[in-house]
Amino acid sequence: MNIGMIEAAAERLKGHATLTPLLTSPFLDEMAGRRVFVKAECLQKTGSFKFRGGWSAVSALPPETRAQGVIAFSSGNHAQGVALAAREHGAPCVILMPSDAPRVKIDNTRALGAEVVLYDRATGDRDAIGGALAEDRGLTLIKPFDEPQVIAGQGTTGLEIARQAAEAGVDRADVLVCCGGGGLTSGIALAFEAHAPGLRARPAEPEGFDDAKRSLAAGRIERNPRMDGSICDAIITPQPGDLTFPIMSRLCGPGIAVSDDEALAAIAAAFSRLRIVLEPGGAVALAAALFHKDEVEGDAVIAVASGGNVDPGIFRQALDRFPQL
Amino acid sequence: MNIGMIEAAAERLKGHATLTPLLTSPFLDEMAGRRVFVKAECLQKTGSFKFRGGWSAVSALPPETRAQGVIAFSSGNHAQGVALAAREHGAPCVILMPSDAPRVKIDNTRALGAEVVLYDRATGDRDAIGGALAEDRGLTLIKPFDEPQVIAGQGTTGLEIARQAAEAGVDRADVLVCCGGGGLTSGIALAFEAHAPGLRARPAEPEGFDDAKRSLAAGRIERNPRMDGSICDAIITPQPGDLTFPIMSRLCGPGIAVSDDEALAAIAAAFSRLRIVLEPGGAVALAAALFHKDEVEGDAVIAVASGGNVDPGIFRQALDRFPQL
């Protein structure tokens, strides 16, 4: 994993990924007590940064391998990112999802051209089913974060932030990143190491699911005690990745954990002050910037708003609970 | 009014206005039956394209004039755009609003550093009150659309669309523009005339308030029969401007009028498919692209999403009424 791979991924993504803006609002500056910049990656194709990693991985395959197709295990943003990336390459795509995944996620993934294969979470072994499918059809597995070309794709977000921050006159700031397995966080950190040494990536996570924060503090990989019970489902993973953790450990500042209510309040603030739609897991970095200001250093902060595929009921709840933001 | 003024405004706006993205979604393509591109100007500073015109006009003033301050008559997006532009120039700013304007608009405009002066709509003469204030204090009036430097600022949106469409491989398309007095529509049309002759600007308006559409069809300025009763309040004006209409008449394609329900449905689709927040007046162009496809020509359409300062109750209504979009 090195900066050359991220720069090569950026070349391959050119003209295919959306160059998402770095947004500002004087209202957010006031709330946070410093200048706030929001990298609106919820505006990326399929509504999250996952399209970058999907495109990077699919485009890096040798043409014959790609033509046989790819497979991903996901019912969320990774599924949609890989599905659209594969379709835009004309490559077959299988997405393996638990049969109890929300109908709308199954439908949306199918609408993006993927073949959705369902398995019973209680009786089926996902890895075994997916492995057999992959072998039968010659499909390449695209892992969600612990995969060099996926990290390289997510890291292109960091190249853009480095350039956009410099244009805004910011060369020193904490950059808060919504963190699940660490693909986005570690990719961004590598981009900063090479191109913006004054920017420091820091993971933001939900309280109770702050495996990255605790792992960074302990200097070794720590697991989450459980996998359910957070509204930030998009970024709940058992633990940081074997590839991503050493990068985060070398380059990242300490993690910040936010409550579900803070994530909802950040959704409301992003709605009224930035006019973007965030999902809870995509709002934790902004929540950290707005509501944990004592844990942030410097006179400017950058928050990566990583995804916007929100359940409408959750979104309504955010607007109802925090109408004043 | 000429392209040189728009290009000069773009130079002045550089590093101050947000370069808003041109967004896409395969789901919208399918709904519209052609490729859809959305210029997300709701992501502009203060939540609408009005910041461009405000900045252009304030920055074009001689320094001594600017130092005395500016004044605008508006309770909406123009007020916020001018207020922030003035503040970023260190110039005093007075906004004259009717005393029955929504509290949140008064507060937001004050929070952007403007002095808000209220007048009684029933008994006060806005132009007389504003004129006296301007003369007393040496303030320069920034008109909302019929003002060359304002049109020049809005026209910078067209320069960006021309470049972004070319990058996306689109050199021929209808470009639907939410139209009130025509500042944005005429500015964009002038930018296309010089830089993208295959792009054709067309006004989009609410049904019953389609003065631009009817004026273009008649070849002379026609008025709206009334000023209230639309949810698209941001783009309701009595008639096209004396400066903007001749430009639109020379360069624009025919107008398209959409219903309030279509505007609400476009808000819902923009929420779930693009993750942007639109207000009804900022959604009529997308509504025209999605629901009036027979009135649009070509295999690609570009819709300008001009503003996102939506009342939360209206937004909720859009999500409730059109959950499937």
Side-chain angles (χ1 to χ4, degrees):
Chain A
M1 207 47 247
N2 58 57
I3 186 65
M5 290 175 66
I6 300 178
E7 288 164 351
E11 274 305 309
R12 296 199 303 280
L13 278 155
K14 210 169 184 173
H16 300 288
T18 298
L19 171 57
T20 56
L22 199 61
L23 301 176
T24 61
S25 158
F27 296 95
L28 298 185
D29 295 352
E30 196 171 338
M31 286 173 72
R34 51 172 63 86
R35 283 196 297 162
V36 178
F37 297 86
V38 176
K39 176 66 168 168
E41 201 54 19
C42 54
L43 305 173
Q44 190 50 261
K45 283 182 178 177
T46 69
S48 88
F49 71 97
K50 291 284 189 180
F51 177 78
R52 295 178 187 262
W55 181 280
S56 172
V58 173
S59 63
L61 294 174
E64 325 75 68
T65 311
R66 185 163 62 224
Q68 292 197 265
V70 297
I71 182 169
F73 307 162
S74 166
S75 56
N77 290 332
H78 180 57
Q80 295 194 42
V82 170
L84 185 61
R87 184 167 85 175
E88 292 191 356
H89 279 89
C93 177
V94 175
I95 302 289
L96 188 60
M97 282 189 194
S99 47
D100 59 353
R103 187 78 222 170
V104 60
K105 295 202 173 183
I106 297 173
D107 290 345
N108 280 345
T109 307
R110 282 198 178 126
L112 293 171
E115 176 189 350
V116 175
V117 174
L118 300 172
Y119 72 97
D120 186 322
R121 215 198 283 256
T123 60
D125 175 338
R126 188 191 68 173
D127 292 345
I129 297 169
L133 262 172
E135 198 173 353
D136 277 3
R137 306 209 204 162
L139 306 171
T140 302
L141 175 65
I142 312 281
K143 289 192 280 185
F145 52 84
D146 231 16
E147 154 62 43
Q149 290 298 358
V150 170
I151 298 172
Q154 322 306 29
T156 62
T157 316
L159 296 180
E160 292 175 10
I161 293 171
R163 198 169 56 240
Q164 292 170 318
E167 284 168 7
V170 175
D171 60 2
R172 185 161 293 280
D174 280 355
V175 179
L176 313 181
V177 187
C178 305
C179 185
L184 182 61
T185 311
S186 63
I188 287 176
L190 286 169
F192 292 165
E193 181 188 29
H195 293 287
L199 301 183
R200 177 174 70 154
R202 300 178 59 183
E205 295 169 294
E207 279 174 7
F209 303 86
D210 57 347
D211 51 306
K213 178 184 177 184
R214 287 184 292 105
S215 299
L216 287 174
R220 63 165 190 277
I221 290 181
E222 303 260 347
R223 293 179 62 84
N224 283 320
R226 58 201 172 103
M227 286 284 286
D228 53 6
S230 171
I231 59 169
C232 303
D233 53 297
I235 58 168
I236 303 302
T237 48
Q239 60 180 57
D242 293 329
L243 287 181
T244 60
F245 179 66
I247 300 168
M248 289 198 282
S249 185
R250 184 166 67 81
L251 297 173
C252 288
I256 302 178
V258 309
S259 68
D260 281 359
D261 272 9
E262 289 168 340
L264 288 176
I267 289 173
F271 163 81
S272 60
R273 303 309 183 182
L274 300 175
R275 296 94 197 170
I276 55 175
V277 176
L278 299 184
E279 63 190 280
V284 295
L286 179 58
L290 297 178
F291 308 120
H292 290 249
K293 43 187 159 183
D294 294 348
E295 294 174 59
V296 176
E297 287 178 23
D299 56 8
V301 63
I302 300 172
V304 180
S306 57
N309 290 315
V310 64
D311 175 82
I314 296 271
F315 196 78
R316 243 181 236 109
Q317 197 185 323
L319 304 197
D320 289 344
R321 300 241 345 253
F322 301 97
Q324 79 286 5
L325 288 180
Chain B
M1 210 45 247
N2 58 56
I3 185 67
M5 290 175 67
I6 299 177
E7 287 164 352
E11 275 304 309
R12 298 198 303 281
L13 278 156
K14 210 170 183 173
H16 301 288
T18 298
L19 172 55
T20 56
L22 199 61
L23 302 176
T24 60
S25 159
F27 296 96
L28 298 185
D29 295 351
E30 196 172 337
M31 287 173 70
R34 50 172 64 84
R35 284 197 297 162
V36 178
F37 297 86
V38 175
K39 176 66 170 168
E41 201 53 22
C42 55
L43 304 173
Q44 190 50 262
K45 284 183 177 175
T46 70
S48 87
F49 71 97
K50 291 285 190 179
F51 177 77
R52 295 178 188 261
W55 181 281
S56 172
V58 172
S59 63
L61 293 173
E64 325 77 66
T65 311
R66 185 163 62 226
Q68 293 198 266
V70 297
I71 182 170
F73 308 162
S74 165
S75 56
N77 290 332
H78 180 57
Q80 296 194 42
V82 171
L84 185 61
R87 184 167 88 177
E88 292 191 356
H89 279 90
C93 178
V94 174
I95 302 289
L96 188 60
M97 280 189 197
S99 47
D100 60 354
R103 186 79 222 170
V104 61
K105 296 202 171 182
I106 297 174
D107 290 346
N108 280 344
T109 306
R110 281 197 179 124
L112 292 171
E115 175 189 351
V116 174
V117 175
L118 301 173
Y119 72 98
D120 187 321
R121 214 198 284 255
T123 61
D125 174 338
R126 189 192 69 175
D127 291 344
I129 297 167
L133 262 172
E135 196 173 357
D136 277 3
R137 305 209 205 163
L139 305 171
T140 302
L141 175 65
I142 312 280
K143 289 191 280 184
F145 53 86
D146 231 15
E147 154 63 44
Q149 290 298 358
V150 170
I151 298 172
Q154 322 306 31
T156 62
T157 317
L159 296 181
E160 292 175 11
I161 293 170
R163 198 169 56 242
Q164 292 170 317
E167 284 168 9
V170 174
D171 59 3
R172 185 161 294 279
D174 280 355
V175 180
L176 313 182
V177 187
C178 305
C179 185
L184 182 61
T185 312
S186 62
I188 287 175
L190 285 168
F192 292 165
E193 182 188 27
H195 293 287
L199 300 183
R200 177 173 71 152
R202 299 179 58 183
E205 295 168 294
E207 277 173 10
F209 305 86
D210 57 346
D211 51 306
K213 178 185 176 184
R214 286 184 293 106
S215 299
L216 287 174
R220 62 165 190 277
I221 290 181
E222 302 261 345
R223 294 178 64 84
N224 284 320
R226 59 202 171 102
M227 286 285 286
D228 53 7
S230 171
I231 59 169
C232 303
D233 53 297
I235 58 168
I236 303 301
T237 48
Q239 60 181 57
D242 294 329
L243 287 180
T244 59
F245 178 67
I247 300 168
M248 290 197 281
S249 186
R250 184 166 67 82
L251 298 173
C252 288
I256 302 178
V258 310
S259 69
D260 280 0
D261 272 9
E262 288 167 341
L264 288 175
I267 289 173
F271 162 82
S272 60
R273 302 308 182 183
L274 299 175
R275 296 93 195 169
I276 56 175
V277 176
L278 298 185
E279 62 189 282
V284 294
L286 178 58
L290 297 179
F291 308 119
H292 290 250
K293 42 187 158 182
D294 293 349
E295 295 175 59
V296 176
E297 287 178 22
D299 55 7
V301 63
I302 300 172
V304 180
S306 56
N309 290 314
V310 63
D311 175 82
I314 296 271
F315 196 77
R316 244 182 236 106
Q317 198 185 322
L319 304 197
D320 289 345
R321 301 244 341 256
F322 301 97
Q324 78 288 2
L325 289 179

